[in-house]
């Protein structure tokens, strides 16, 4: 999928550059078919938002609640939210998303900013952090990686931190 996106996206980007808006539906003239496309896009976003907000709500919960409780969450608290917590976190997400959509006509920059940071974090920071956490918990020899491989994970972590920082700075 990534190869197909790069193969089709890069030539278009090199040809059009900044002449194309980040919201591709605004690049075409307004008409009945374009309104159908925009409607279908809105339905697709609404359908995926339900699933994405569930993951984001759990992630936000795991980030915020240790500060509220002033202690680390237990495993049962990490995965089980009360009805009040679900309502509060869902409302915060909805209001935040809605406010962003109303405040910015073109969400290209905020999406690029979060996209660069999230991709660098997911690819280069989180996996080495998980590895190093398991290494600390089990001991360096228990995972079966050589010292060179463990050093490689540390290099990947440093690269990820640099990618996050430089990506956000350049955006």
């Amino acid at each position: 999928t990534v190869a197909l996106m790069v193969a089709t996206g890069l030539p278009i980007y090199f040809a059009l550059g900044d002449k194309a808006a980040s919201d591709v539906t605004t690049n075409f003239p307004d008409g009945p078919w374009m309104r159908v496309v925009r409607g279908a896009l809105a339905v697709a976003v609404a359908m995926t938002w339900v699933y994405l907000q569930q993951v984001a709500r759990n992630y936000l919960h795991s980030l915020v609640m240790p500060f509220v409780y002033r202690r680390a969450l237990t495993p049962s608290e990490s995965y089980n939210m009360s009805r009040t917590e679900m309502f509060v976190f869902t409302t915060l997400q909805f209001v935040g998303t809605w406010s962003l959509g109303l405040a910015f006509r073109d969400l290209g920059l905020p999406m690029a900013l979060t996209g660069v940071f999230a991709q660098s974090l997911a690819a280069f920071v989180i996996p080495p952090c998980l590895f190093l956490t398991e290494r600390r918990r089990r001991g360096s020899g228990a995972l079966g990686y050589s010292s060179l491989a463990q050093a490689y994970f540390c290099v990947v972590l440093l690269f990820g931190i640099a990618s996050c920082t430089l990506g956000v700075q350049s955006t």
Side-chain angles (χ1 to χ4, degrees):
T1 308
V2 173
L4 182 61
M5 287 174 25
V6 169
T8 58
L10 278 180
I12 293 170
Y13 177 75
F14 288 137
L16 299 175
D18 291 337
K19 297 176 206 160
S22 60
D23 179 3
V24 294
T25 63
T26 60
N27 292 321
F28 299 100
D30 195 25
W33 285 111
M34 203 64 233
R35 285 191 285 276
V36 169
V37 168
R38 288 183 185 122
L41 185 61
V43 168
V45 167
M47 289 171 58
T48 57
W49 187 84
V50 172
Y51 299 109
L52 292 176
Q53 67 88 24
Q54 183 178 4
V55 173
R57 180 179 57 211
N58 286 334
Y59 184 69
L60 186 62
H61 177 264
S62 67
L63 287 176
V64 171
M65 293 314 285
F67 293 108
V68 172
Y69 292 151
R70 294 186 180 151
R71 63 174 171 78
L73 296 177
T74 64
S76 64
E77 290 172 330
S78 293
Y79 298 107
N80 299 318
M81 285 189 268
S82 68
R83 287 182 186 231
T84 305
E85 290 172 340
M86 287 181 86
F87 176 77
V88 168
F89 284 109
T90 303
T91 303
L92 283 174
Q93 282 184 287
F94 182 77
V95 168
T97 305
W98 190 263
S99 300
L100 249 165
L102 292 175
F104 295 98
R105 175 164 169 70
D106 183 8
L107 286 175
L109 182 61
M111 299 271 303
L113 184 65
T114 56
V116 164
F117 186 77
Q119 287 175 352
S120 297
L121 199 66
F124 302 115
V125 175
I126 293 173
C129 285
L130 291 173
F131 169 76
L132 293 172
T133 301
E134 282 299 309
R135 180 183 177 269
R136 185 179 50 136
R137 192 179 309 165
R138 295 184 187 180
S140 62
L143 295 175
Y145 289 98
S146 68
S147 296
L148 183 64
Q150 293 178 33
Y152 174 74
F153 277 107
C154 293
V155 170
V156 169
L157 176 63
L158 293 174
F159 175 76
I161 293 169
S163 296
C164 288
T165 306
L166 295 173
V168 167
Q169 181 184 9
S170 68
T171 307

